[in-house]
Amino acid sequence: MNWFDEALHDEWSGQGYTQRFEVTRTVCEVSTGHQKLVIFETPRFGRVLALDGVVQTTEADEFCYHEMLTHVPIFAHGKVRDALIVGGGDGGVLREVLRHDGIGATLVEIDDTVINVCREHMPSLSGGAFDDPRCTARIGDGAAFVRDTDRRFDLIIVDSTDPIGPAEVLFTPEFYADCRRCLRENGILVTQSGVPFLQPEELRSVHRSLGSVFSDATFYLTVVPSYVGGYMTLGWASDRSEPREIELEELAERVARTGLSFKYYSPSIHRSAFALPPFIAGILEA
Ligand code: AG3
């Protein structure tokens, strides 16, 4: 039998812990020039995308991540018209953003191979979103884009790998400051910041960097089975605290008005996601 052992908490961090998938078929394996990409088929998770040995998304549980990274800020904000996605080449965030009427999305992905290969071999992730006229996809460095662009956004979603390899710059205060410059008043930035039980340093560094740039910086939670280790934290940053404090009733009305339905997101999950267990809040204070 052929197995995939994830490198993140073993090879990359020396914690001697790994998750292992039975590989029933390797669908695609390529060195992209930026990273090593594999897509393989598994019995329980469907097709799995891994970059440099780290699981990025799986067909079976991607909704736990993409819905929370997308709908929490969109419903909290209430009036998003222009969204910027940094990374996200698999198209999962893009697909969720474009489920909302009246939102245009710009996606800046450094690695065109991720987009092409995922469209071909994991088409349910983007679900045709790259063909939507409301989507502009650019191949390039997201950090350079937010440094140089004149465009302004209501929402920036940073859907990156962990800070090993090409995504390292997407975790710096300079990058967050450039993002803040591109946000309209009331704008929100969200970003993945790892699984804190196993990656406390990633959470601490995102907290320090976001907090040095935005007046309201905190985290909310999701659980993604294939991001092994329990809760994943998603960074939340804005210069306004009102969107984070939105009441349940108002959220429920906004959600009802869209007529959308979800597999992970709900107004109550949205509210409760901002409650952090003491061991996570403690990492932020340390
Ligand atoms: N980006 C986040 C991958 C995080 C992996 N980290 C971990 N398992 N602790 C995924 C891209 C999906 N669109």
Side-chain angles (χ1 to χ4, degrees):
M1 231 183 278
N2 188 14
W3 297 85
F4 171 91
D5 285 298
E6 189 178 36
L8 185 61
H9 309 300
D10 184 29
E11 209 177 318
W12 295 136
S13 73
Q15 298 185 90
Y17 184 67
T18 186
Q19 67 169 333
R20 164 175 263 217
F21 295 85
E22 186 189 333
V23 177
T24 48
R25 184 160 90 85
T26 301
V27 175
C28 168
E29 190 161 15
V30 53
S31 281
T32 70
H34 293 280
Q35 46 209 347
K36 189 171 168 274
L37 179 161
V38 285
I39 293 177
F40 52 90
E41 192 121 16
T42 68
R44 178 60 186 92
F45 288 81
R47 290 191 178 186
V48 177
L49 166 71
L51 296 175
D52 290 337
V54 179
V55 172
Q56 295 304 314
T57 199
T58 86
E59 286 176 334
D61 69 358
E62 55 85 18
F63 68 93
C64 306
Y65 176 80
H66 293 129
E67 287 190 7
M68 288 300 278
L69 201 51
T70 303
H71 303 301
V72 171
I74 288 181
F75 284 120
H77 183 288
K79 291 199 169 89
V80 174
R81 279 178 294 132
D82 297 292
L84 172 65
I85 302 163
V86 177
D90 55 70
V93 167
L94 180 68
R95 177 199 72 212
E96 290 301 315
V97 167
L98 294 180
R99 293 177 71 194
H100 293 262
D101 290 334
I103 302 188
T106 302
L107 178 140
V108 184
E109 164 64 55
I110 198 158
D111 193 342
D112 62 331
T113 307
V114 174
I115 298 182
N116 298 332
V117 161
C118 288
R119 288 182 75 174
E120 181 176 352
H121 297 295
M122 296 175 80
S124 62
L125 275 173
S126 53
F130 284 105
D131 299 318
D132 190 309
R134 294 174 296 148
C135 156
T136 313
R138 308 172 51 128
I139 307 308
D141 177 351
F145 179 84
V146 293
R147 191 179 58 230
D148 300 334
T149 187
D150 296 327
R151 301 235 3 235
R152 293 295 176 263
F153 300 93
D154 309 294
L155 168 63
I156 299 178
I157 299 179
V158 185
D159 180 18
S160 71
T161 54
D162 291 292
I164 352 165
E168 230 176 309
V169 322
L170 305 181
F171 289 80
T172 61
E174 293 72 26
F175 170 70
Y176 296 137
D178 289 332
C179 287
R180 181 173 177 269
R181 190 188 63 84
C182 300
L183 282 173
R184 297 198 177 106
E185 217 188 332
N186 293 331
I188 298 169
L189 175 147
V190 292
T191 183
Q192 82 87 4
S193 57
V195 169
F197 182 80
L198 293 167
Q199 299 168 289
E201 215 22 78
E202 182 166 327
L203 175 60
R204 217 174 272 132
S205 108
V206 174
H207 184 237
R208 226 181 285 124
S209 304
L210 281 182
S212 72
V213 170
F214 290 91
S215 58
D216 192 49
T218 186
F219 293 84
Y220 64 105
L221 302 175
T222 184
V223 173
V224 187
S226 63
Y227 298 158
V228 66
Y231 284 121
M232 163 171 261
T233 45
L234 302 175
W236 170 280
S238 176
D239 283 332
R240 299 278 188 100
S241 59
E242 301 89 82
R244 181 172 54 78
E245 289 158 352
I246 182 171
E247 297 294 337
L248 183 62
E249 295 66 32
E250 172 64 20
L251 265 180
E253 268 167 40
R254 289 181 186 182
V255 173
R257 249 180 269 137
T258 65
L260 294 173
S261 64
F262 307 102
K263 287 195 276 187
Y264 191 109
Y265 179 88
S266 76
S268 319
I269 287 287
H270 177 141
R271 289 287 309 169
S272 63
F274 286 87
L276 303 179
F279 92 89
I280 297 178
I283 296 172
L284 303 181
E285 278 148 30

